[in-house]
Amino acid sequence: MLEELDLPEPAPTAGEVAVRVAFAGVNFAEVQHRRGEFGAPDGPGGVDVPGLEVAGVVVALGAGVSEPAVGEPVAAYLPAFGGYAEVVTADVRFVRSLRTGAGEVDPAEAAGLPCVYPTAFGVLGDAGRLREGEDVLIHSAAGGVGFAAAQLARELGAGRVYGTVGGAEKIPYTAGLGYDEVFLREGFTERLTEVTGGRGVDVVLDPVGGPIREQSLAVLAPFGRVVAYGDLGRHQQWTASVWDLWKSNRTIAGFNIGDLARRSPERIGQYLAEALRLLAAGRIRSGVTQILPLAEAAEAHRLLETGTGRGKILLSFT
Ligand SMILES: NC(=O)c1ccc[n+]([C@@H]2O[C@H](COP(=O)([O-])OP(=O)(O)OC[C@H]3O[C@@H](n4cnc5c(N)ncnc54)[C@H](OP(=O)(O)O)[C@@H]3O)[C@@H](O)[C@H]2O)c1
């Protein structure tokens, strides 16, 4: 259940800053959080504040922090959630200035980057091991991560980039993101086989799971990788046979931003800084398609949950 509440303003502890939030990005993980898929709320008083990413202005510094300074416009990734709030505290390792070497980024665009772009860097580069000239297939091509991954695949020098969507009405929204072709997820193996002349692709980004994961393995070129990073379809756990993998030169890789934040936090900060720089330089688009007031957070969740959203939805606090 989502409910608007008055809570005490949080104060930053050592290594943190407090950010007055201008915009918060909405992610599918927050739908899962609300549905209780990450466990029952365990915040003070049994209340959890969702929200993985925000943009705003630094209003207070915790012990040991001198940068970013008070007044600095920033974007922040929030691994422990909390972004659907007027003020949030954030670990400085996941906070980056909107003033980049390539210019300053508008917070109404920046708020959609901190979770989605490090995820796109991670699934393509770290888990997917994408090399220049390799071909990619991106499931949920018109979603938040899909928008980012297509553009980033181009930046990273991918060869051909294909995408799938759940409904034909979404295909027009993927124009200009760098896709060579986007087709329906249903029956995608036939179309992909056709357009690749039977070779398949080198990397598949799969947040859907179940039969789609299994079919994605089938369309891999030799030494291809399927990157599993979500379970949109809420399918039963599907297991692959190691025998089948080594007998057919195929790989399944996994990516999780929360685990990366715990074990390699500096990498998230680097990816966020790079995404902000690319946005300021006009090399990528933020993918923001809708900005709703906080009071309409439930509607934002409905759009994601029913698969009718596209691009990135933000909540506004201004
Ligand atoms: N592992 C990680 O670190 C990590 C980090 C960020 C996000 N993710 C995952 O990436 C995925 C995308 O996240 P996002 O925030 O960018 O969401 P999103 O793609 O903007 O929205 C969800 C989209 O998923 C698709 N979908 C496919 N099957 C669905 C189903 N059964 N029910 C509802 N939607 C379905 C829908 O589009 P189509 O039907 O057109 O495909 C829908 O629009 C999620 O699974 C999320 O958990 C993982």
Side-chain angles (χ1 to χ4, degrees), residues 28-29 31-40 231 234 305:
F28 198 83
V31 170
Q32 294 178 290
H33 189 184
R34 194 207 73 229
R35 294 198 296 217
E37 291 171 27
F38 304 150
D231 183 28
R234 302 173 94 179
E305 212 165 0

Side-chain angles (χ1 to χ4, degrees), residues 22-72:
F23 301 94
V26 181
N27 293 277
F28 198 83
E30 291 138 22
V31 170
Q32 294 178 290
H33 189 184
R34 194 207 73 229
R35 294 198 296 217
E37 291 171 27
F38 304 150
D42 60 0
V47 173
D48 272 359
V49 180
L52 282 162
E53 55 186 5
V54 295
V57 173
V58 174
V59 288
L61 307 181
V65 178
S66 55
E67 268 187 53
V70 169
E72 188 76 7

Side-chain angles (χ1 to χ4, degrees), residues 26-29 32 115-116 119 139-146 164-167 170 185 207-208 229-234 255-258 303-312:
V26 181
N27 293 277
F28 198 83
Q32 294 178 290
C115 176
V116 160
T119 297
H139 290 301
S140 277
V145 175
T164 76
V165 287
K170 289 191 183 174
R185 195 153 49 249
V208 182
Y229 69 102
D231 183 28
L232 282 166
R234 302 173 94 179
F255 177 82
N256 187 274
I257 191 172
L303 288 167
L304 261 74
E305 212 165 0
T306 54
T308 46
R310 59 192 163 78
K312 196 77 207 168

